[in-house]
Amino acid sequence: MLYNIVTYGCQMNVHESEKIAGILEKMGYTASEKREDADIIVFNTCAIREGAEDRAFGNIGALKQTKRENKNKLIVVCGCMTQQKKVADYIYKTFPFVDIIIGTHDLEKLEGLIKKRLEEKKRIVSELKDNYDIIENLPIHRTSGDNAWVNIMYGCNNFCTYCIVPYVRGREQSRKKQDILNEIKNIVQSGKYKTITLLGQNVNSYGSEDKTQGTFSELLNDICKIDGDFKLTFMTSHPKDLTDDVIEAIKNNDKIIKEIHLPVQSGSNRILKLMNRKYTREHYLDIVRKLKENIPNIRITTDIIVGFPTENEDDFKDTCNLVKEVKYDGIFAFMYSKRSGTVAEKMEGQVDDKIKNERVNYLLNLEKEIKAQKETK
Ligand code: SAH
Ligand code: SF4
Ligand code: F3S
């Protein structure tokens, strides 16, 4: 029996697909490179931008014929798209050959649902939950080479006005520190991994809802005390919560890679406010200054959204000037995409796609120029 998993979206989803793979392997399935050969195909979806959703719809739709040829094939759709009731209903109606639809909080049910579907003829849409419990010790089949992902927290409380994540991933919950340390000890002891990457939508707020677990910087320091030859990194940091003790921890621990992904989203204070990012351009630049002063040659990368509602030429210039000042080592520039149910969806002043496109290209060129400048130094 073969399985094939198609993953969209962020590292969180890549890691969750490793857990899905673990569950399927435990059930006796083995991985298949070819989607068409698989007895079970899982789409682990992302809802962050319209483009991600369209790609998933297209690829799910393309399986109609495969399923017609082999009715016993199981097709599962999970992840952030299906966590929205409207989208789950749409998939159920539009793709009658999809067998199981489950949300983001239901991985532990997957095995039972697959067995149920194999025994009964009825398609399954798992009931969506907003609340969730952290499930420890799910089986896992790691597939990311010598990098091991480790979740330290789930969900997001920030409600940036453009973003769907808080609606599909629920409120922040941190894993127990001891569970994280045990997982990392096992990873290190296995001898198979060089790098450990801690994951969370906002790793800096680790432990903020459960103070007994300590802070993010304490977690970093404790992980670095684990014996063994490994490097540690983490994502994503929210600038509003990146405190001095975290900078100290990066500086003081040889095991921590000297790099940080610090999404700025915009360099305009007006837009940052509309985005509900809770920091100013000045505050952001101050953190960058501290990072560079304390950690020589630190690599800084970022995410930027262009064409947020009402973003004008002056706002965009602010972003470009900030980019030039920070001299990023990498920029992920995205065109703003309207997400259903978010605050920005209803904002006046939506920006033309043509302008968004021009601004993304401008940033990509700027990134190249900065890279060229750094290389000639
Ligand atoms: N938790 C992380 C980001 C998760 S989403 C953080 O706060 O940094 C990854 C990136 O997708 C974001 O940083 C943002 O730049 C982008 N993004 C999120 N929603 C978007 C939208 N509606 N349109 C375009 N880009 C978006
Ligand atoms: Fe989205 Fe903001 Fe949460 Fe990141 S911090 S996941 S951008 S709401
Ligand atoms: Fe996408 Fe969900 Fe990650 S919306 S970016 S897969 S948290």
Side-chain angles (χ1 to χ4, degrees):
M1 299 284 273
L2 299 172
Y3 72 86
N4 180 276
I5 305 175
V6 191
T7 310
Y8 304 89
C10 61
Q11 284 76 13
M12 195 79 76
N13 254 21
V14 172
H15 186 40
E16 255 149 43
S17 286
E18 295 181 332
K19 294 181 187 166
I20 296 169
I23 294 169
L24 295 175
E25 301 235 340
K26 190 175 143 246
M27 292 175 76
Y29 289 89
T30 31
S32 154
E33 294 282 316
K34 278 175 80 189
R35 207 173 296 174
E36 300 74 33
D37 294 345
D39 300 282
I40 178 160
I41 304 171
V42 181
F43 286 93
N44 192 9
T45 61
C46 168
I48 201 83
R49 285 170 290 273
E50 206 179 335
E53 292 202 333
D54 288 346
R55 269 200 306 283
F57 284 139
N59 285 327
I60 296 167
L63 284 183
K64 189 173 179 179
Q65 188 57 28
T66 323
K67 178 84 180 212
R68 201 176 277 155
E69 285 159 16
N70 178 359
K71 292 225 163 359
N72 294 326
K73 221 178 251 303
L74 278 194
I75 299 175
V76 180
V77 185
C78 61
C80 293
M81 278 171 76
T82 49
Q83 187 62 31
Q84 306 160 87
K85 178 142 193 346
K86 258 205 296 201
V87 183
D89 288 348
Y90 175 81
I91 293 173
Y92 186 81
K93 280 199 212 101
T94 317
F95 307 110
F97 47 89
V98 169
D99 296 280
I100 299 173
I101 300 173
I102 59 172
T104 48
H105 305 317
D106 278 335
L107 274 194
E108 86 279 9
K109 281 202 215 146
L110 186 61
E111 178 173 0
L113 293 179
I114 291 173
K115 286 186 179 151
K116 190 165 176 227
R117 173 61 179 158
L118 289 171
E119 281 157 16
E120 297 169 13
K121 282 276 144 276
K122 253 176 86 198
R123 300 167 71 203
I124 299 168
V125 185
S126 173
E127 200 185 317
L128 288 183
K129 301 183 290 192
D130 287 330
N131 297 324
Y132 64 102
D133 297 319
I134 294 180
I135 311 287
E136 289 296 337
N137 301 319
L138 277 177
I140 180 157
H141 176 70
R142 297 188 184 272
T143 56
S144 304
D146 58 15
N147 175 67
W149 309 106
V150 173
N151 256 119
I152 62 164
M153 57 185 301
Y154 298 88
C156 182
N157 289 353
N158 291 318
F159 289 93
C160 303
T161 54
Y162 49 81
C163 187
I164 193 83
V165 171
Y167 302 91
V168 293
R169 290 278 173 174
R171 293 299 64 73
E172 277 176 12
Q173 284 193 65
S174 301
R175 278 178 79 192
K176 296 262 178 285
K177 189 196 256 183
Q178 202 48 53
D179 289 332
I180 299 171
L181 294 176
N182 289 344
E183 182 178 354
I184 295 180
K185 277 179 200 153
N186 286 333
I187 290 171
V188 173
Q189 271 163 18
S190 79
K192 288 197 257 178
Y193 306 96
K194 284 193 186 137
T195 315
I196 291 164
T197 307
L198 308 179
L199 292 178
Q201 291 301 343
N202 175 10
V203 288
N204 306 108
S205 68
Y206 173 80
S208 58
E209 82 298 343
D210 177 4
K211 299 274 189 269
T212 60
Q213 301 310 308
T215 63
F216 180 55
S217 65
E218 286 164 356
L219 176 69
L220 288 175
N221 290 327
D222 287 350
I223 294 172
C224 289
K225 284 185 203 131
I226 296 177
D227 274 339
D229 188 17
F230 67 93
K231 291 281 178 207
L232 182 65
T233 186
F234 50 84
M235 61 177 56
T236 302
S237 296
H238 192 306
K240 82 175 165 66
D241 299 313
L242 185 77
T243 42
D244 291 352
D245 53 324
V246 175
I247 299 178
E248 280 295 301
I250 305 173
K251 178 182 169 185
N252 294 337
N253 286 296
D254 289 343
K255 284 185 171 129
I256 301 184
I257 300 175
K258 307 307 176 210
E259 67 181 15
I260 190 160
H261 186 58
L262 197 60
V264 67
Q265 313 298 358
S266 169
S268 149
N269 279 335
R270 193 181 71 81
I271 295 293
L272 285 172
K273 195 152 203 273
L274 286 175
M275 286 177 162
N276 191 31
R277 287 292 285 181
K278 303 192 184 86
Y279 54 83
T280 58
R281 167 198 182 87
E282 291 73 23
H283 179 64
Y284 184 93
L285 287 171
D286 198 42
I287 299 171
V288 169
R289 181 188 54 75
K290 280 190 211 159
L291 281 165
K292 288 185 173 174
E293 272 174 19
N294 282 286
I295 310 157
N297 298 323
I298 185 163
R299 281 177 50 83
I300 305 178
T301 55
T302 202
D303 293 345
I304 293 173
I305 297 178
V306 300
F308 184 84
T310 76
E311 184 189 68
N312 58 33
E313 281 301 322
D314 285 343
D315 297 314
F316 184 59
K317 261 188 209 140
D318 285 347
T319 300
C320 295
N321 287 334
L322 180 136
V323 165
K324 287 180 197 157
E325 191 166 341
V326 178
K327 299 195 179 60
Y328 288 108
D329 297 284
I331 300 173
F332 300 88
F334 305 108
M335 295 199 267
Y336 167 73
S337 171
K338 229 191 215 186
R339 301 287 70 206
S340 165
T342 60
V343 172
E345 183 201 6
K346 305 263 157 35
M347 284 182 185
E348 307 261 324
Q350 298 284 334
V351 175
D352 244 36
D353 277 354
K354 187 169 161 282
I355 294 176
K356 288 182 195 166
N357 208 357
E358 284 167 10
R359 290 183 185 163
V360 162
N361 286 330
Y362 191 89
L363 284 176
L364 292 179
N365 278 327
L366 209 51
E367 186 191 18
K368 273 193 213 141
E369 274 171 35
I370 294 170
K371 194 161 174 248
Q373 270 172 22
K374 286 191 173 178
E375 277 165 4
T376 54
K377 262 191 194 161

